Amino acid sequence: VSAAGLAHAWDAPGSNRTNALGGVLSLSSGPHYLPSGIWAEAAITHAYSRVEANARRAFPLAGFRFTPEIRFGWGRRLPLMTTFMLGGTDGFPGLNIGELRGDRELFASFNIARPLLGPVEVRLTAASGQTAFGGPTLPRGRWQAGGRIGLAAETPIGPIRVEYGVARDERNGFFVRLGDWF
């Protein structure tokens, strides 16, 4: 559990407010890089409110590692840079990172990984989710669906991933990541 004050200043096109003062409350079961855990954070300021929660649980079975994950986000009067990206910092399979944003997010994924050689593993991920601006707490409307397949390795310089993703409406693209996003 951690709590802190928050001073946030920004300049964005179309924004009529450029600063916010408030506080942040975080709850976590450990660092985000752990394969299992629960993480939640609420930021309340005089300019905007933002709440997010993320949970994932990795479990081994028959030489595979299965990892379901769920993310939820809700915000009010969010500046663009604090809106929710569908799929978080990994983005959504087949789409550009940050392509779908909103002040509401609901996202679920299921990852299957199998070690190949040393630290290298093959990964398969299925995902579904939605972002929206305004409306009910849980976004309504068309849900995105997609998947990724590729290779990953845990190295001394951080994780390395090379994956190919496909989303509905014939969207696709490579996902290449060296290290963790902060």
Side-chain angles (χ1 to χ4, degrees):
V1 175
S2 64
L6 172 68
H8 188 183
W10 67 92
D11 185 17
S15 176
N16 58 359
R17 185 180 295 269
T18 59
N19 61 65
L21 296 173
V24 177
L25 176 65
S26 298
L27 306 168
S28 80
S29 60
H32 273 279
Y33 62 78
L34 292 176
S36 297
I38 297 173
W39 304 272
E41 183 174 278
I44 309 297
T45 73
H46 74 285
Y48 66 88
S49 302
R50 186 178 194 280
V51 176
E52 68 177 304
N54 185 19
R56 80 175 158 256
R57 173 78 172 124
F59 57 94
L61 181 64
F64 290 87
R65 186 180 68 250
F66 298 91
T67 310
E69 179 175 8
I70 188 164
R71 292 172 36 89
F72 168 77
W74 174 88
R76 185 172 44 92
R77 296 190 313 263
L78 295 177
L80 178 62
M81 60 283 193
T82 62
T83 57
F84 300 99
M85 297 186 296
L86 185 60
T89 57
D90 282 350
F92 193 84
L95 302 179
N96 296 321
I97 293 176
E99 181 175 343
L100 295 178
R101 300 183 81 98
D103 61 6
R104 315 273 191 277
E105 179 196 23
L106 191 55
F107 171 80
S109 68
F110 190 79
N111 181 276
I112 302 170
R114 170 101 171 136
L116 289 178
L117 181 62
V120 178
E121 65 183 18
V122 65
R123 295 169 44 102
L124 174 66
T125 303
S128 183
Q130 183 182 51
T131 59
F133 281 101
T137 301
L138 297 177
R140 292 188 183 150
R142 186 174 183 196
W143 285 71
Q144 287 292 327
R148 277 189 186 129
I149 188 166
L151 300 173
E154 288 295 327
T155 71
I157 61 170
I160 297 174
R161 292 171 50 194
V162 177
E163 300 173 340
Y164 183 73
V166 176
R168 71 175 354 160
D169 299 329
E170 299 180 27
R171 298 287 308 274
N172 57 64
F174 278 96
F175 175 82
V176 179
R177 173 72 45 93
L178 174 60
D180 286 314
W181 265 27
F182 297 92

